Amino acid sequence: MSDLYAVIGNPIGHTKSPLIHGLFAEETRQDLSYTAIEGPQEPQGAFAETVRAFIANGGKGMNVTAPFKLQAFAMADERSERAELAGAVNAMKFEGGRIIAENFDGIGLVRDIEVNLGFPMAGKRVLMLGAGGAARGALLPFLAAGPQEMVIVNRDVEKAKALAARIEGRGPLLACAYGDLEAMGRFDLVVNATSASLTGELPSVPPSVFSPEGAAYELAYGKRLTPFLRLARNAGVRIIADGVGMLVEQAAEAFDWWRGVRPETRTAIDRLTVPLD
Ligand code: ATR
């Protein structure tokens, strides 16, 4: 029997994970089955039961998407430092009766920016909008890439400050309010890690933060030119991208973690890319 993997979320109909992992399995000739499971939102504990039933059936690993990333975190026996800091889990491995948990979102994002977009972060000024789960997941991998300076900005500035305080000493990180940005000059890379684009909103970021020679990255994907990316384009930013590459790269990290072989990602990215305008 093929090894069993799945993505769990609710809703799950829109998920691209089975397609991505199917392409990876074909390319690397791995014998596995990867399905999508709609997890139960209630009653309490039903999510964990579904995961345990999957393990009992021989499941080897799972990807976790909204709204279960926190519940997956809570039920894990072991968590990576990245998952600890994000407070959220997007991949699990089941081994010897234990649930080992990871968060590859941030590492996938860094890989997409550095490898696929050809934009190394070392020595760059980086601005991250938002201090929610998505931003938290990205912070350690971003700092590991060696930026000259990294600024996180959030409407609720205390949340950004608390986050910066949690990883003090790990890199040149500063938290501030949107109102401070005008005075902070240009950034080489601006990443929108807020959930504003999901509702068509624009974080109140001034166009002066963008640098024409730089890059702007929107974590949401498949939304075409969001208000954030439009602002960046109008400011003349050279590289603009949405999160489709991050989605595929985090999947590749999980695949490698589970199977010990790294798939190529270009085919899946090309299949899933939606033109920005
Ligand atoms: P996620 O896990 O997707 O990051 P989250 O944890 O709910 O979601 O966090 C949402 C983030 O988007 C927060 O940083 C939020 O800012 P506040 O903490 O100040 O609320 C940010 N956000 C949502 N809508 C926004 C908007 N219209 N403008 C700016 N930031 C916004």
Side-chain angles (χ1 to χ4, degrees), residues 114-129:
E114 295 206 313
V115 180
N116 300 332
L117 301 177
F119 195 84
M121 272 191 243
K124 301 285 197 325
R125 292 192 81 211
V126 178
L127 173 64
M128 169 104 71
L129 316 181

Side-chain angles (χ1 to χ4, degrees), residues 69 129-136 153-157 159-160 178 192-199 201-204 219:
K69 290 184 175 186
L129 316 181
R136 283 200 305 272
V153 59
N154 201 43
R155 285 183 310 197
D156 175 356
V157 70
K159 210 158 122 188
Y178 281 97
N192 185 10
T194 73
S195 52
S197 303
L198 302 181
T199 48
E201 289 167 45
L202 176 66
S204 46
L219 256 54

Side-chain angles (χ1 to χ4, degrees), residues 126-128 139 142-143 147-152 172-174:
V126 178
L127 173 64
M128 169 104 71
L139 273 187
F142 266 47
L143 288 176
Q148 180 202 331
E149 182 184 23
M150 167 128 199
V151 174
I152 41 176
L173 181 63
L174 184 83

Side-chain angles (χ1 to χ4, degrees), residues 43-126:
Q44 216 195 342
F47 166 77
E49 270 172 38
T50 306
V51 173
R52 294 203 185 282
F54 184 74
I55 299 171
N57 270 332
K60 297 264 195 275
M62 265 181 164
N63 279 128
V64 184
T65 187
F68 299 123
K69 290 184 175 186
L70 303 183
Q71 287 183 61
F73 181 90
M75 76 181 292
D77 298 302
E78 279 174 44
R79 306 178 195 105
S80 70
E81 191 189 18
R82 285 189 291 259
E84 287 284 354
L85 180 74
V89 156
N90 89 325
M92 299 190 283
K93 178 151 80 173
F94 311 127
E95 234 173 44
R98 294 177 69 74
I99 299 177
I100 306 163
E102 258 290 4
N103 188 318
F104 293 123
D105 285 334
I107 225 176
L109 173 59
V110 170
R111 238 188 117 80
D112 191 36
I113 293 170
E114 295 206 313
V115 180
N116 300 332
L117 301 177
F119 195 84
M121 272 191 243
K124 301 285 197 325
R125 292 192 81 211
V126 178

